Amino acid sequence: MIHYALSIKHLALSITTLLLLSSCNSSSDSFRLEGRFRNLNQGEFYIYDAERGTKDTIRVRDGRFEYQRNLEDTAMLMLMFPNFSELPIIAHPNSKITIKGDVSHLRETKVSGDKANEELTSFRLDVAEQTPPAQRKTAEDFIINNPSSPISLYLLQRFFILSDLPDYGKGQELCTLVAIHQPNNIRAKRLLKELQLLKNYKTEGPLPPFHARDTKGRLVDNSTLKSDVNVIVVWSSWNYESQNMVRTVRRREQAHRDRMSVITICLDANKNEGKGVLERDSISWPNVCDGKMWESPILTQLGVSTVCSNIITDKRGFIVARNLETPKLSEKIESLLK
């Protein structure tokens, strides 16, 4: 729906867009969301806040739905529909937003109620048919021309950080502009610092040094990955494609346990969120989840920035592939094991 012609697998979308947080109100006020979808009688979908690690279910009755929560600051919320497409919502304290759409034309869904959401709707509709490079150029132009807009930080993350091919250099340039024009935006300042450190993104050569503790307290570092084929997967309990990726890697690992090592990095705000997923699939490999989500140091150490990120290394610790879609990831693992 709102993939801007990109795969929903990388919402991060997703997304990461996921990570808009500006410094606004210090008091807690109610945010209200109301919506109506034609050609839908009953159903449900998720609304999640990747920055704070919250996820709620919204139920639709007679085509209508309501959602309400207290907010202290502006937040970027994501609606995830049954077909896994997503819709970004800029939520302000003490505000009301309305959504109208048709389930057969989700990409044309309109969000109204304030200037920011209406501008974001216009942007979505304008770039819906553009190619990914054209979308990125349109996003860059918007940020340059509107550095004070709450939309700009979302577009920055969506198109320059949380994309299949991140551009951290351009992201740092644009984030500097946003931070100058939004001096009270704590998230923009934090993101700028992160971008200055995200120089470990490498598509070849040795895997950067990293270390962390998994959810069982075990040390996880480069020495953990010494098999013929080694895989790192970034996932979350609120992203279904990333869970599918973990299960696919699990099947490969079961078949080649003596020649394959795996580490997963969970971006949930609470390690118990994804615990059930791992237990259900009898996964015992190291799983890192420190509750810091996008602020987790291991992400910066490895130069990863999206849910569904993955890295494959050989037994020397050299990167042989990065950020493959699930089918290609499975094929690559099998080819290396041969």
Side-chain angles (χ1 to χ4, degrees), residues 221-286:
D221 58 16
N222 297 71
S223 65
T224 310
L225 303 173
K226 292 298 184 180
S227 298
D228 293 339
V229 176
N230 308 279
V231 184
I232 300 173
V233 177
V234 181
W235 72 289
S236 76
S237 67
W238 41 262
N239 185 280
Y240 293 101
E241 177 52 35
S242 70
Q243 294 177 42
N244 181 45
M245 181 176 290
V246 169
R247 294 187 183 102
T248 298
V249 172
R250 170 58 171 157
R251 289 192 290 271
R252 301 283 78 78
E253 189 260 354
Q254 283 181 311
H256 306 282
R257 184 167 296 176
D258 58 334
R259 300 184 56 205
M260 184 175 169
S261 295
V262 182
I263 294 173
T264 47
I265 303 170
C266 180
L267 295 186
D268 288 350
N270 187 318
K271 64 181 182 181
N272 292 324
E273 284 282 328
K275 185 178 180 180
V277 176
L278 300 180
E279 290 180 346
R280 185 168 58 250
D281 294 314
S282 301
I283 292 174
S284 59
W285 62 53

Side-chain angles (χ1 to χ4, degrees), residues 91-332:
H92 300 289
N94 194 27
S95 66
K96 177 182 175 181
I97 298 301
T98 301
I99 297 177
K100 292 184 179 180
D102 188 318
V103 292
S104 58
H105 303 284
L106 284 176
R107 73 189 321 175
E108 299 174 9
T109 300
K110 295 183 178 180
V111 183
S112 60
D114 61 29
K115 181 180 178 181
N117 280 288
E118 290 166 5
E119 286 185 344
L120 183 54
T121 295
S122 296
F123 182 92
R124 284 193 297 106
L125 298 177
D126 289 344
V127 305
E129 302 301 329
Q130 291 182 0
T131 63
Q135 292 170 352
R136 180 174 285 194
K137 182 61 170 63
T138 303
E140 179 181 354
D141 291 343
F142 182 96
I143 296 169
I144 291 174
N145 293 322
N146 305 276
S148 299
S149 171
I151 300 174
S152 291
L153 189 58
Y154 165 73
L155 297 181
L156 165 62
Q157 293 178 294
R158 166 66 181 82
F159 290 99
F160 296 92
I161 301 175
L162 302 176
S163 71
D164 294 345
L165 297 173
D167 187 340
Y168 298 129
K170 176 59 70 173
Q172 182 175 347
E173 176 185 325
L174 295 173
C175 192
T176 300
L177 179 64
V178 171
I180 291 173
H181 286 81
Q182 300 184 39
N184 296 322
N185 192 323
I186 298 174
R187 176 58 195 163
K189 293 179 180 179
R190 190 186 311 138
L191 179 61
L192 184 58
K193 291 182 179 179
E194 293 170 3
L195 285 166
Q196 293 168 347
L197 295 173
L198 273 174
K199 50 193 175 187
N200 285 329
Y201 183 89
K202 300 167 66 176
T203 57
E204 57 184 15
L207 184 70
F210 72 95
H211 64 276
R213 294 283 176 179
D214 72 1
T215 54
K216 296 181 179 180
R218 298 173 297 189
L219 177 64
V220 177
D221 58 16
N222 297 71
S223 65
T224 310
L225 303 173
K226 292 298 184 180
S227 298
D228 293 339
V229 176
N230 308 279
V231 184
I232 300 173
V233 177
V234 181
W235 72 289
S236 76
S237 67
W238 41 262
N239 185 280
Y240 293 101
E241 177 52 35
S242 70
Q243 294 177 42
N244 181 45
M245 181 176 290
V246 169
R247 294 187 183 102
T248 298
V249 172
R250 170 58 171 157
R251 289 192 290 271
R252 301 283 78 78
E253 189 260 354
Q254 283 181 311
H256 306 282
R257 184 167 296 176
D258 58 334
R259 300 184 56 205
M260 184 175 169
S261 295
V262 182
I263 294 173
T264 47
I265 303 170
C266 180
L267 295 186
D268 288 350
N270 187 318
K271 64 181 182 181
N272 292 324
E273 284 282 328
K275 185 178 180 180
V277 176
L278 300 180
E279 290 180 346
R280 185 168 58 250
D281 294 314
S282 301
I283 292 174
S284 59
W285 62 53
N287 180 60
V288 176
C289 184
D290 57 16
K292 297 179 181 179
M293 303 185 71
W294 302 105
E295 311 301 328
S296 180
I298 194 173
L299 300 184
T300 300
Q301 293 167 9
L302 294 173
V304 295
S305 61
T306 67
V307 175
C308 286
S309 291
N310 54 75
I311 304 174
I312 303 178
T313 67
D314 60 19
K315 60 183 177 182
R316 301 175 302 159
F318 278 68
I319 298 172
V320 296
R322 187 161 192 155
N323 293 342
L324 301 178
E325 294 186 357
T326 301
K328 294 294 184 181
L329 176 62
S330 181
E331 292 175 7
K332 186 65 175 179

Side-chain angles (χ1 to χ4, degrees), residues 3-14:
H3 271 260
Y4 314 114
L6 290 177
S7 169
I8 81 170
K9 296 178 180 178
H10 300 289
L11 78 160
L13 276 172
S14 249

